[in-house]
Structure formats: C-alpha cells, structure tokens
Amino acid sequence: MIPAAFDYERAESADHALELLGQHGDDAKLLAGGHSLLPLMRIRLAAPALLVDIGRLSELSYVRDAGDHLAIGALTRHETLHFDDLLNQHCPVLSHTVGEIGDPQVRHRGTIGGSVAHGDPAADLPAVLVALGATLVVRGQQGERQVAAADFFKGLFETALEDTELLTEIRVPKSSGMGWSYQKFNPRAQDWAVVGVCVLVGSNGGAGNAVVTLTNMGERPIRAGAVEQALASGADLATASQEAAQGTNPPSDPLGSAEYRRGLAPVLVRRALEEAMAR
C-alpha cells in the first residue's frame, strides 16, 4: 500500500525537532532510521501529517564513558554499537544484542533510540535495557527528564514519551564482569523474535541474584519474577526455567500461538541461564 499524504521537515538540531513537535503535536512523527515507522505508514496504521526527519543529527550519535555508565546517543546506529570498543568492553550483552537485530541493512540504518521509542514488545533491545537497569533521557520544551527503562515501556507500542518529547540518550550501567546471555528464536534473521530472553548474573557467579527478562511474552518487556525467585530459593536451572511463563500474556500471531510461546520460553530461559553462568 501507499502511505497517506504527509508533509516533510528535516530537523537541523534537536532543538529544531522539538520546536516542530511543539507546533504540530500528535500530528507529527519523528523519523530516524525509518524501519519501524515506515512499514506502519504503508499499511495505514500510522498516518502522520508531518514527518520530522532527525536522522542526520550527528549530535545524537555517540558512545561515551560516563564513569559508572555508558552514555549512548539515541541516533547511534545498531551497526556502530555492535562494533564499538567501549560497549564491547563495558556492556557486552548490549553489544551482542544489537548485532542480532534484523539483517545488515536494518543494522546500518536502524538506531537504538528509534527502536526503543517505538515500544514494540517483539523488539530485542527493551528487555535488555530493563535487565541492565538502564536510564532513558527525554528532552522536551520544558527541559530534560530521566526515566528508568522499567518505567519507560507502558504497553503495546506505548512508552512514557509525550508527543512533544524527544528521546536523546540511553544510559547503561557498566556490566563487565557479569555473566550474560541474550537468546531468541526467530525463523529468519529479519523476523521479530518469537520469544527472547536476557539474563544477567552477578560477578560472584551464583544464579541466586540473576535478572531474567522476556521479549514478546506480553505487551511490554517482562521480568521473569517467578524464575528469579526460584533461583534465589536455590532451585536448579532446569527447575527454575519451568517458571518462565508465569505471569506472562504472550500474543498469538503468524509466527506462533500464545501456547507455543509459553512452551518455548522455558527452553530459552534455560539456555540463557546456562550460557550466562558459563561466562
């Protein structure tokens, strides 16, 4: 299908983008890499009156060492992050996961901020950011605010971003020395994850303090609390993994039924726990 008619503006700076959003409100949408928004426009699930192109704002493309965390500009492309030395050293789970997104074309065009702001529960990055305890920096005409990743994702394609705000930075705590894994099942590289699992294990090597988050098992990234509690109580990995589907609400779609996802989640959780423990 062909998108509905729209106007186009190229933002010259982050402040210019905010000015345009302030003028047009929910009639405007931000365009970064375009891999999330444009497919929705083609099938008329999104029909903005104005596209504000922020894809050339180099001021929002960077990875910086900020002491106890890394600061990542929202317009940093996935492929850049995958090969970034700082990210590989201090947050390898995120470096690995961005390298698993889509295919090379998607990774060369897609941005971390665009993926996060889209709020797709099948996207890989939200579950990883929640597991890491990341902080998202949001800028509006009234100033800047910080939102914990666990509070940023509200529901199906719904985030804490207001129509007149711009996601500018993602701050991820340094996690070198921790065991980690991101496991997902998808039929083809360019397909969304049927189910994904992120696991982080503390530097002491014990599974009792593991953090486990799930992709595409609900309308937002989910902490697998029942798995974490079982591990904290001393359950072995296989037994704890069987609790993966507790408290979830997975969708049914052409890639898999809800029942299929509930059966798949324990398998991936066990694999992720075993890999994280082995690192």
Side-chain angles (χ1 to χ4, degrees):
M1 293 180 63
I2 300 174
F6 60 87
D7 292 326
Y8 172 89
E9 290 270 7
R10 181 185 298 175
E12 302 298 332
S13 65
D15 288 338
H16 184 210
L18 289 173
E19 179 184 342
L20 292 169
L21 291 177
Q23 291 172 359
H24 297 274
D26 60 3
D27 287 331
K29 291 292 184 185
L30 296 171
L31 177 68
H35 284 284
S36 299
L37 177 60
L38 294 182
L40 292 180
M41 291 176 62
R42 282 197 292 268
I43 59 177
R44 305 286 179 106
L45 288 179
L50 173 68
L51 281 186
V52 179
D53 188 348
I54 58 173
R56 295 171 177 82
L57 299 186
S58 58
E59 64 189 275
L60 296 182
S61 178
Y62 55 83
V63 180
R64 298 171 183 159
D65 191 327
D68 63 347
H69 69 274
L70 297 180
I72 303 172
L75 290 183
T76 311
R77 302 196 185 278
H78 301 314
E79 193 74 357
T80 300
L81 292 174
H82 182 48
F83 292 103
D84 184 83
D85 289 338
L86 277 176
L87 200 62
N88 271 285
Q89 179 182 355
H90 295 296
C91 194
V93 64
L94 183 56
S95 174
H96 167 81
T97 302
V98 293
E100 296 292 305
I101 293 173
D103 52 30
Q105 183 178 10
V106 170
R107 292 193 292 272
H108 278 88
R109 288 293 302 166
T111 64
I112 184 172
S115 176
V116 170
H118 189 51
D120 191 330
D124 300 302
L125 294 180
V128 176
L129 295 181
V130 170
L132 286 166
T135 299
L136 308 180
V137 181
V138 175
R139 189 189 306 176
Q141 292 185 317
Q142 304 304 315
E144 187 176 275
R145 63 190 180 99
Q146 299 180 20
V147 185
D151 299 324
F152 184 81
F153 303 101
K154 298 294 187 182
L156 185 64
F157 299 107
E158 181 185 1
T159 71
L161 272 176
E162 301 291 341
D163 292 329
T164 57
E165 291 182 321
L166 173 65
L167 175 63
T168 58
E169 187 174 274
I170 296 93
R171 296 174 180 171
V172 292
K174 292 180 178 179
S175 60
S176 53
M178 298 183 70
W180 60 270
S181 178
Y182 185 74
Q183 298 277 335
K184 69 174 178 178
F185 175 75
N186 49 340
R188 301 172 301 169
Q190 62 265 44
D191 288 332
W192 298 103
V194 178
V195 175
V197 178
C198 181
V199 169
L200 292 176
V201 178
S203 56
N204 63 9
N209 62 352
V211 175
V212 183
T213 56
L214 304 174
T215 294
N216 214 10
M217 288 295 288
E219 294 187 345
R220 50 177 285 180
I222 295 175
R223 283 284 292 267
V227 175
E228 295 174 357
Q229 292 171 14
L231 291 169
S233 298
D236 60 68
L237 302 188
T239 301
S241 299
Q242 292 306 309
E243 304 296 323
Q246 294 295 324
T248 65
N249 184 29
S252 291
D253 57 32
L255 291 179
S257 66
E259 181 181 7
Y260 178 73
R261 286 181 162 91
R262 291 190 185 98
L264 178 60
V267 176
L268 294 182
V269 166
R270 181 173 180 174
R271 290 178 183 175
L273 284 168
E274 290 174 345
E275 183 175 52
M277 293 289 294
R279 289 188 187 276

